[in-house]
Every structure is written in C-alpha cells, then in structure tokens.
Amino acid sequence: MDMKLLLNWRLHLTVILASLLAEWIGILRIPLGPGTLLLLPLFYAFIIGVLLNPHLFSGMQRVIPKPVSNAAGPLIMISILPFIAKFGSTIGPAIEQIIAAGPALILQELGNLGTMLLALPFAVLVLRMGREAIGATYSIAREPNIAIISDKYGLRSPEGIGIMGVYVVGTMFGTLYFALMAGYLASLDILDIRALAMACGVGSGSMVAACSGALAEAAPHLRDDLLAFSGASNLLTYATGLYVSLFIALPTAEWLYKRLGGAKLKEARNETL
C-alpha cells in the first residue's frame, strides 16, 4: 500500500467533515406505523460517502482521486477492530444475565443460519451469483461478520464484495425493515411477543432498537420485559454469533455453494459472456 496515498490530506479531511456532519444531524426518529424509524449518523455517513465516490461520480475525482479511494479500502478492517474489542468487553460483566436468560436464547442463535439456508440457493440458482453469494448470505453481514470475511478472503475478494453489499443495504434499510416487520408480526398475534423480542437481537444496535421499539409500542404493558429480552438476545448474539458464523455458517455456506454447483454455473456464465 502506498502510504502517500493513504496519508493524503483530502481523504482525512473529507472523512472528518463527513463524520462531523453526520453527528451534527444526529438521530432522527420518524413515527412509522406501529413503530419508529431510526435514522442514525452511520446512515448519513454512508450517503455522503456514496455521493463522494469517484467510481460512481467522475466529477468527485477533484475531491477524492480514484487512487486515494482505492488505498482507503483496507482501512475498513482497522476501523472495525475497536468495535469488536468493545462488544467483546461487554460479555464478561453480563455473563449472569446471559446464563439467566435460559436455553431459549441460546437455541435461537441457530435461527440466524436460516439467512444462509434460504438465501444462498436463491442467489446461486436464480440470480446466478458466484462466490459473492457466500459473503452475502452466510450471515446478516454486520461488523463481526465483515471481520471474518476480511480475515479469510479479503474485502476485495468476491466474498468481500458480497458481504459489503449486504452490509450497506442493511445499514440503509435494515431499521426500516425491522420496524415494519416487527410491528406487523406483533399485530397478527400468532407468535409470543417475547419470542419476537428475542428475534430482534441479531447483532445490530440500530436494528434491535427499531425492532424492540416497535414491539414496545404494540404491547406497552410489556415494554420493560420486551426490551430486556431483546437486549439479552442481542448481547448473546455478540457473544456466540461470531463463533457460529466462523465455525458453522461459513463452512456450511462453502459446502452448500459447491453442492449447488456454484462454481460450474459461474464458469458456464463466463463462457456465455
């Protein structure tokens, strides 16, 4: 990596200004149906980054030249490391809370594998995706999952491109989707609302906030219980989700991709092109 490009003053000034602008806007809460849509500073930062991307808008090369933009890619991993250290440090003090939550919270973590079991066949057989499908579907593509893909394949690999695409979409639309889905499912009165609260804890702060907030609005008399269940579930996902993704989900995604003939489909597509 060229350190001159990485230390380019335009890059760092742009990041600082974008961060300050996003924090200045702050968290916006928009009432939406049974819940509340939360727009976080990270969302604004992504929008600003997209608008300043020289690969999408050639005129932005005067602000961020393409070589500088390319050199900044590996910094994503460095930025994620403090976040991983932070959530890791919260597990020890809350160990009693995790144990008291009971086996239901532990078993519900296996439900995250449904993301891969449903989406991977669709991505390979219907959308004809290559190995991007592995990164895009083996998890819900949050920060710890990005760290795994970055370490194993690299973010410039097909798997890295797949997970970053889902990460961006999840950041932009995840809170909206969770708020609407949670409120709708609660109104159907088919599942225990405490089970829905547990399902909120997928490992994303913004998503769990939107999901639990919508449920709390649907059942105000259980507000404290619902927030406690969703918080414990989210904490447990942080504690165990990394290992489930690394040792179960990713190897299973690799195996399923091969069984579905993903490599052969990609070769056939390339020959056709």
Coordinates of all heavy atoms in Angstrom, one line a residue, residues 108-149:
Q108 N -32.0 -20.0 20.0 CA -32.5 -19.0 18.9 C -31.3 -18.5 18.1 O -31.6 -18.0 17.0 CB -33.3 -17.9 19.6 CG -32.5 -17.0 20.5 CD -32.0 -15.7 19.7 OE1 -32.6 -15.3 18.8 NE2 -30.9 -15.2 20.2
E109 N -30.1 -18.6 18.5 CA -29.0 -18.2 17.7 C -28.8 -19.0 16.5 O -28.4 -18.5 15.4 CB -27.7 -18.3 18.6 CG -26.4 -17.9 17.8 CD -26.4 -16.5 17.3 OE1 -27.1 -15.7 18.0 OE2 -25.9 -16.2 16.3
L110 N -29.3 -20.3 16.5 CA -29.2 -21.2 15.4 C -30.2 -20.7 14.3 O -30.0 -21.0 13.1 CB -29.6 -22.6 15.8 CG -28.6 -23.3 16.7 CD1 -29.1 -24.7 17.1 CD2 -27.2 -23.4 16.1
G111 N -31.1 -19.9 14.7 CA -32.1 -19.3 13.7 C -31.4 -18.4 12.7 O -31.9 -18.2 11.5
N112 N -30.3 -17.9 13.0 CA -29.5 -17.0 12.1 C -29.0 -17.7 10.9 O -28.7 -17.1 9.9 CB -28.4 -16.3 12.8 CG -28.9 -15.3 13.8 OD1 -30.0 -14.8 13.7 ND2 -28.0 -15.0 14.8
L113 N -28.9 -19.1 11.0 CA -28.5 -19.9 9.9 C -29.5 -19.9 8.8 O -29.2 -20.2 7.6 CB -28.2 -21.3 10.3 CG -27.1 -21.5 11.3 CD1 -26.9 -23.0 11.7 CD2 -25.7 -21.0 10.8
G114 N -30.8 -19.6 9.1 CA -31.8 -19.5 8.1 C -31.5 -18.5 7.0 O -32.0 -18.7 5.9
T115 N -30.8 -17.5 7.4 CA -30.4 -16.5 6.4 C -29.7 -17.1 5.2 O -30.0 -16.9 4.0 CB -29.5 -15.4 7.0 OG1 -30.2 -14.8 8.1 CG2 -29.1 -14.3 6.0
M116 N -28.8 -18.0 5.5 CA -28.0 -18.7 4.5 C -28.8 -19.8 3.8 O -28.8 -19.9 2.6 CB -26.7 -19.3 5.1 CG -26.0 -20.2 4.2 SD -24.8 -21.3 5.1 CE -25.9 -21.9 6.4
L117 N -29.5 -20.6 4.6 CA -30.2 -21.7 4.0 C -31.3 -21.3 3.0 O -31.6 -22.1 2.1 CB -30.8 -22.6 5.1 CG -29.8 -23.2 6.1 CD1 -30.5 -24.0 7.2 CD2 -28.9 -24.2 5.4
L118 N -31.9 -20.1 3.2 CA -32.9 -19.7 2.3 C -32.3 -18.8 1.2 O -32.7 -19.0 0.0 CB -33.9 -18.8 3.1 CG -34.8 -19.5 4.1 CD1 -35.7 -18.5 4.8 CD2 -35.7 -20.6 3.4
A119 N -31.3 -18.0 1.5 CA -30.9 -17.0 0.5 C -29.8 -17.6 -0.4 O -29.7 -17.2 -1.6 CB -30.3 -15.8 1.2
L120 N -29.0 -18.5 0.1 CA -27.9 -19.0 -0.8 C -28.4 -19.7 -2.0 O -27.9 -19.5 -3.1 CB -26.9 -19.8 0.0 CG -25.7 -20.3 -0.7 CD1 -24.8 -19.1 -1.2 CD2 -24.8 -21.2 0.2
P121 N -29.3 -20.7 -1.8 CA -29.8 -21.3 -3.1 C -30.5 -20.4 -4.0 O -30.3 -20.5 -5.3 CB -30.9 -22.3 -2.5 CG -30.4 -22.6 -1.1 CD -29.9 -21.3 -0.6
F122 N -31.2 -19.4 -3.5 CA -31.8 -18.4 -4.4 C -30.7 -17.6 -5.1 O -30.9 -17.3 -6.3 CB -32.7 -17.4 -3.6 CG -33.4 -16.5 -4.4 CD1 -34.6 -16.8 -5.0 CD2 -32.9 -15.2 -4.6 CE1 -35.3 -15.9 -5.8 CE2 -33.6 -14.2 -5.4 CZ -34.8 -14.6 -6.0
A123 N -29.7 -17.2 -4.4 CA -28.6 -16.4 -5.0 C -27.9 -17.2 -6.1 O -27.6 -16.6 -7.2 CB -27.6 -15.9 -4.0
V124 N -27.6 -18.4 -5.9 CA -26.9 -19.2 -6.8 C -27.7 -19.7 -8.0 O -27.3 -19.6 -9.2 CB -26.2 -20.5 -6.1 CG1 -25.5 -21.4 -7.1 CG2 -25.2 -20.0 -5.1
L125 N -28.9 -20.3 -7.7 CA -29.7 -20.9 -8.7 C -30.6 -20.0 -9.5 O -30.8 -20.2 -10.7 CB -30.6 -22.0 -8.1 CG -29.9 -23.1 -7.4 CD1 -30.9 -24.1 -6.7 CD2 -28.9 -23.9 -8.3
V126 N -31.0 -18.9 -8.9 CA -31.9 -18.0 -9.5 C -31.1 -16.7 -10.1 O -31.2 -16.4 -11.2 CB -33.0 -17.5 -8.6 CG1 -33.9 -16.5 -9.3 CG2 -33.9 -18.7 -8.1
L127 N -30.3 -16.1 -9.2 CA -29.6 -14.9 -9.6 C -28.3 -15.2 -10.2 O -27.6 -14.3 -10.8 CB -29.4 -14.0 -8.3 CG -30.6 -13.6 -7.6 CD1 -30.2 -12.7 -6.4 CD2 -31.5 -12.8 -8.5
R128 N -27.9 -16.5 -10.2 CA -26.6 -16.9 -10.9 C -25.4 -16.2 -10.3 O -24.5 -15.8 -11.1 CB -26.7 -16.7 -12.4 CG -27.9 -17.5 -13.0 CD -27.6 -19.0 -13.1 NE -28.8 -19.7 -13.6 CZ -28.7 -21.0 -14.0 NH1 -27.7 -21.7 -13.7 NH2 -29.8 -21.6 -14.5
M129 N -25.4 -16.0 -9.0 CA -24.3 -15.3 -8.4 C -23.1 -16.2 -8.2 O -23.3 -17.5 -8.1 CB -24.7 -14.7 -7.1 CG -25.6 -13.5 -7.1 SD -26.1 -12.9 -5.5 CE -24.5 -12.4 -4.8
G130 N -21.9 -15.7 -8.2 CA -20.7 -16.5 -8.0 C -20.4 -16.6 -6.5 O -21.4 -16.6 -5.7
R131 N -19.2 -16.5 -6.1 CA -18.8 -16.7 -4.7 C -19.2 -15.4 -3.9 O -19.1 -15.4 -2.7 CB -17.3 -16.9 -4.6 CG -16.9 -18.3 -5.1 CD -15.4 -18.5 -4.8 NE -15.1 -18.6 -3.4 CZ -15.3 -19.7 -2.6 NH1 -15.8 -20.8 -3.1 NH2 -15.0 -19.6 -1.3
E132 N -19.7 -14.4 -4.6 CA -20.3 -13.3 -3.9 C -21.4 -13.7 -3.0 O -21.7 -13.1 -2.0 CB -20.7 -12.2 -4.8 CG -19.6 -11.5 -5.6 CD -19.2 -12.2 -6.9 OE1 -19.8 -13.3 -7.1 OE2 -18.4 -11.7 -7.6
A133 N -22.1 -14.8 -3.4 CA -23.2 -15.3 -2.7 C -22.8 -15.8 -1.3 O -23.6 -15.7 -0.4 CB -23.9 -16.4 -3.5
I134 N -21.6 -16.3 -1.2 CA -21.2 -16.8 0.1 C -21.1 -15.7 1.1 O -21.6 -15.8 2.2 CB -19.8 -17.6 0.0 CG1 -20.0 -18.8 -0.9 CG2 -19.3 -17.9 1.4 CD1 -18.7 -19.5 -1.2
G135 N -20.4 -14.6 0.7 CA -20.3 -13.5 1.6 C -21.6 -12.8 1.9 O -21.8 -12.3 3.0
A136 N -22.5 -12.8 0.9 CA -23.7 -12.0 1.0 C -24.7 -12.8 1.9 O -25.6 -12.1 2.5 CB -24.3 -11.8 -0.3
T137 N -24.7 -14.1 2.0 CA -25.8 -14.8 2.6 C -25.4 -15.6 3.8 O -26.3 -16.2 4.5 CB -26.4 -15.8 1.6 OG1 -25.4 -16.8 1.2 CG2 -26.9 -15.1 0.4
Y138 N -24.1 -15.8 4.2 CA -23.7 -16.7 5.3 C -24.1 -16.0 6.6 O -24.1 -16.7 7.7 CB -22.3 -17.0 5.2 CG -21.3 -16.1 6.1 CD1 -20.9 -16.6 7.3 CD2 -20.9 -14.9 5.6 CE1 -20.0 -15.8 8.1 CE2 -20.1 -14.1 6.4 CZ -19.7 -14.5 7.6 OH -18.8 -13.7 8.3
S139 N -24.5 -14.8 6.7 CA -24.8 -14.1 7.9 C -25.7 -12.9 7.6 O -26.0 -12.7 6.4 CB -23.6 -13.6 8.7 OG -22.9 -12.6 7.9
I140 N -26.0 -12.0 8.6 CA -26.7 -10.8 8.3 C -25.8 -9.7 8.0 O -26.2 -8.5 7.8 CB -27.6 -10.4 9.4 CG1 -26.8 -10.0 10.7 CG2 -28.7 -11.5 9.8 CD1 -27.6 -9.3 11.7
A141 N -24.5 -10.0 7.8 CA -23.5 -9.1 7.4 C -23.3 -7.8 8.2 O -23.4 -6.7 7.8 CB -23.8 -8.6 5.9
R142 N -23.1 -8.0 9.5 CA -22.7 -6.9 10.4 C -21.2 -6.9 10.6 O -20.5 -7.7 10.1 CB -23.5 -7.0 11.7 CG -25.0 -7.0 11.6 CD -25.6 -6.2 10.5 NE -25.4 -4.8 10.6 CZ -25.5 -3.9 9.7 NH1 -25.9 -4.2 8.5 NH2 -25.3 -2.6 9.9
E143 N -20.8 -6.0 11.5 CA -19.3 -5.8 11.6 C -18.5 -7.0 11.9 O -17.5 -7.3 11.3 CB -19.1 -4.7 12.7 CG -19.5 -3.3 12.3 CD -20.9 -3.0 12.4 OE1 -21.7 -3.9 12.9 OE2 -21.4 -1.9 12.2
P144 N -18.9 -7.9 12.9 CA -18.1 -9.1 13.2 C -18.0 -10.0 12.0 O -17.0 -10.6 11.7 CB -18.8 -9.7 14.4 CG -19.6 -8.6 15.0 CD -20.0 -7.7 13.9
N145 N -19.1 -10.1 11.2 CA -19.2 -11.0 10.1 C -18.2 -10.4 9.0 O -17.6 -11.2 8.2 CB -20.6 -11.1 9.5 CG -21.6 -11.5 10.6 OD1 -22.5 -10.7 10.9 ND2 -21.4 -12.6 11.2
I146 N -18.2 -9.1 8.8 CA -17.2 -8.5 7.9 C -15.8 -8.8 8.3 O -15.0 -9.1 7.4 CB -17.5 -7.0 7.8 CG1 -18.8 -6.7 7.3 CG2 -16.4 -6.3 6.9 CD1 -19.2 -5.2 7.2
A147 N -15.5 -8.8 9.6 CA -14.2 -9.1 10.0 C -13.8 -10.5 9.7 O -12.6 -10.7 9.3 CB -14.1 -8.9 11.6
I148 N -14.7 -11.4 9.8 CA -14.4 -12.8 9.4 C -14.1 -12.9 7.9 O -13.0 -13.5 7.5 CB -15.6 -13.7 9.8 CG1 -15.7 -13.8 11.3 CG2 -15.4 -15.1 9.2 CD1 -17.0 -14.6 11.7
I149 N -14.9 -12.3 7.1 CA -14.7 -12.4 5.6 C -13.4 -11.7 5.3 O -12.6 -12.1 4.4 CB -15.9 -11.8 4.9 CG1 -17.1 -12.6 5.1 CG2 -15.5 -11.6 3.4 CD1 -17.0 -14.0 4.5

